[in-house]
Amino acid sequence: MRIRRCAVLWLEPHEETGFDLEALLAGGTGVTSRMRWLAHVPTADAPVEVDMEDVALLGAVSPNDWLAASALRDRHGAGRVRRLLRAGLLVGSTKAWAEQRARDEALRELHWHGLAASYHAGSRWEGIDAAGEVEEAGLHHAEGLRRAYGVPPPMLHERADGGAFTALPRAPRNAFDGVLDARASCRNFDAGKALSLGQLAQVLERAFGERGRVRGADDFDVLKRTSPSGGALHPVECYLIARRVDGLAVGLYHYRPGEHALQALPMDGAQILAGAGKHAAAAGKDALDYLAWIAVGGQEYFADAHALCVLAPRFRRNYWKYRNHPKAYRVCILDVGHLSQTLLLSATEMGLGSYVTAAINEADIERAFGLTHWIDGPLAVCGIGPRRGEMDTYELDPNRKVWPR
């Protein structure tokens, strides 16, 4: 058998601190620390703890050139080599290691930049009730934040080294200014009303629809959307959790911009609900309601949206051109920002509530929609729907455009 290192590997020296009462009674500080090495591989489910000999082995093996396994076994021991193969840190050439090798090769074929791939994988959530944790810590209001973190940085940044000011003319107001001023993240959706299919269709078309196409080559078309995209590649896909849309069956969908159509996707309710038992707030929810709730990190006011749009780039689309490029992942994030703002403004112009959040459980969303995070992983979720007539959950609306009372 031959062996090489996995395509992308980040080794983190990680310090863990704890409290030791005996050390405190003996005259010390009572604070103990332990250094660990964690190996981060984008295709692994979690970081892998390694020791110093593992680090030396991994640092000496090429991620590109294959070498004889016998040499590594003789130098480091067969058990150590087998453990690193099982973890996916080393890649073996034989059938026994085909699964780990296939995952590694799939990542190689996408041409991720190493640090970007590690960050993308390491920043994903699974099964996190972020709203519950914020509530428990008392950080859900300004007073709690102020007590916990002190005074925030100034809202307006003043440059001490700056010169004189140049006053700028105010633009004359028009209807578009009214839309901009009325855009406020909605936390009060009206469950008693349905979002019409026509309203949903208009928002999806304006945000994600194909507005034009240019033939770049015989087998290469360039898409036009209302938002810009790095290299005009438009990698971001929209996946839909439809809950209360008049004229559309509840379920999961994929938006097809070329046809301006929604394609129904299979939904495994038992798989979606597999982790629901550990959340008291999830009691009584069916699979679709639980998916909406866990998708937005337990933010119930966002889960109440009539339709939730998952924004997930197809990284192969961007990295086909920007291979191993340090800016390619940033461009995907920018694309999601552009598209979400267009979606929010489109919904606002129609009198609908909307929001965008990055506090999402990517792993739960990926399982529900059949996505793989390094191939087409979600970065944000947007929601739309009719607002309630009263503000039960606080919304930030400084100009009182949405809630004039």
Side-chain angles (χ1 to χ4, degrees):
M1 181 175 73
R2 296 178 303 156
I3 287 178
R4 67 182 179 185
R5 203 180 72 219
C6 60
V8 176
L9 174 64
W10 168 42
L11 292 170
E12 176 194 9
H14 181 78
E15 183 179 20
E16 291 183 346
T17 59
F19 177 73
D20 187 333
L21 179 59
E22 291 186 4
L24 179 65
L25 296 175
T29 62
V31 179
T32 61
S33 63
R34 174 190 171 221
M35 291 298 299
R36 305 164 62 206
W37 279 98
L38 297 179
H40 297 263
V41 181
T43 57
D45 293 330
V48 179
E49 184 169 0
V50 293
D51 60 26
M52 289 303 298
E53 189 169 345
D54 292 334
V55 172
L57 185 160
L58 293 167
V61 177
S62 169
N64 300 309
D65 301 327
W66 294 91
L67 56 85
S70 57
L72 280 180
R73 293 192 187 106
D74 292 343
R75 193 175 308 126
H76 299 281
R80 184 179 299 276
V81 171
R82 188 181 307 109
R83 178 168 53 81
L84 296 178
L85 282 165
R86 193 177 296 117
L89 306 182
L90 294 177
V91 180
S93 63
T94 61
K95 184 177 180 180
W97 307 106
E99 182 179 348
Q100 289 90 337
R101 187 172 64 254
R103 291 166 68 87
D104 182 69
E105 288 175 353
L107 183 69
R108 290 173 186 268
E109 290 172 1
L110 261 69
H111 305 287
W112 271 91
H113 184 265
L115 287 177
S118 298
Y119 169 74
H120 176 68
S123 61
R124 292 161 61 243
W125 284 358
E126 179 176 8
I128 300 296
D129 180 3
E133 292 178 2
V134 168
E135 182 82 23
E136 185 176 340
L139 302 177
H140 57 292
H141 50 73
E143 293 82 0
L145 286 168
R146 173 65 178 79
R147 286 194 299 271
Y149 301 141
V151 179
M155 184 174 65
L156 301 178
H157 180 46
E158 303 287 350
R159 287 290 300 263
D161 58 347
F165 290 2
T166 300
L168 300 174
R170 294 282 182 180
R173 291 184 62 86
N174 58 27
F176 185 56
D177 289 284
V179 175
L180 292 173
D181 288 345
R183 195 219 56 76
S185 295
C186 179
R187 296 186 172 197
N188 297 272
F189 291 98
D190 191 341
K193 293 181 180 178
L195 176 69
S196 75
L197 185 60
Q199 290 173 315
L200 174 64
Q202 183 169 316
V203 171
L204 292 178
E205 185 173 19
R206 284 179 168 176
F208 307 106
E210 179 180 329
R211 312 288 284 203
R213 185 178 295 214
V214 176
R215 177 54 56 94
D218 288 343
D219 55 358
F220 177 29
D221 288 346
V222 178
L223 186 71
K224 165 68 176 176
R225 277 176 169 167
T226 53
S227 296
S229 179
L233 294 170
H234 293 286
V236 178
E237 301 288 328
C238 173
Y239 292 91
L240 194 74
I241 304 174
R243 303 181 65 225
R244 291 187 298 274
V245 182
D246 190 19
L248 183 67
V250 298
L252 307 183
Y253 295 88
H254 175 217
Y255 177 68
R256 305 272 301 175
E259 300 91 345
H260 183 47
L262 289 170
Q263 182 180 24
L265 299 177
M267 186 176 78
D268 186 338
Q271 182 190 56
I272 289 172
L273 290 170
K278 64 182 180 180
H279 299 294
K285 295 184 184 294
D286 64 19
L288 198 70
D289 287 345
Y290 175 72
L291 176 59
W293 181 83
I294 199 66
V296 293
Q299 299 173 95
E300 191 76 63
Y301 40 80
F302 285 163
D304 282 342
H306 296 57
L308 286 78
C309 304
V310 175
L311 277 57
R314 278 187 301 135
F315 297 112
R316 187 184 302 277
R317 177 78 178 166
N318 252 36
Y319 300 168
W320 164 81
K321 178 178 180 180
Y322 300 113
R323 301 189 172 203
N324 306 106
H325 199 294
K327 300 291 187 182
Y329 184 61
R330 185 180 297 187
V331 168
C332 290
I333 297 173
L334 285 171
D335 277 13
V336 167
H338 296 148
L339 291 164
S340 62
Q341 176 69 335
T342 302
L343 184 151
L344 268 57
L345 289 178
S346 298
T348 301
E349 190 267 341
M350 298 175 65
L352 297 172
S354 60
Y355 66 81
V356 59
T357 180
I360 65 175
N361 280 299
E362 293 90 343
D364 298 277
I365 296 171
E366 289 154 7
R367 274 195 302 275
F369 283 97
L371 307 176
T372 301
H373 71 266
W374 72 87
I375 297 175
D376 43 15
L379 295 184
V381 171
C382 296
I384 59 173
R387 285 182 183 272
R388 282 204 297 267
E390 296 180 354
M391 184 169 60
D392 295 326
T393 302
Y394 177 73
E395 292 180 14
L396 186 62
D397 181 29
N399 294 327
R400 311 294 285 176
K401 297 295 184 181
V402 179
W403 304 103
R405 293 184 297 279

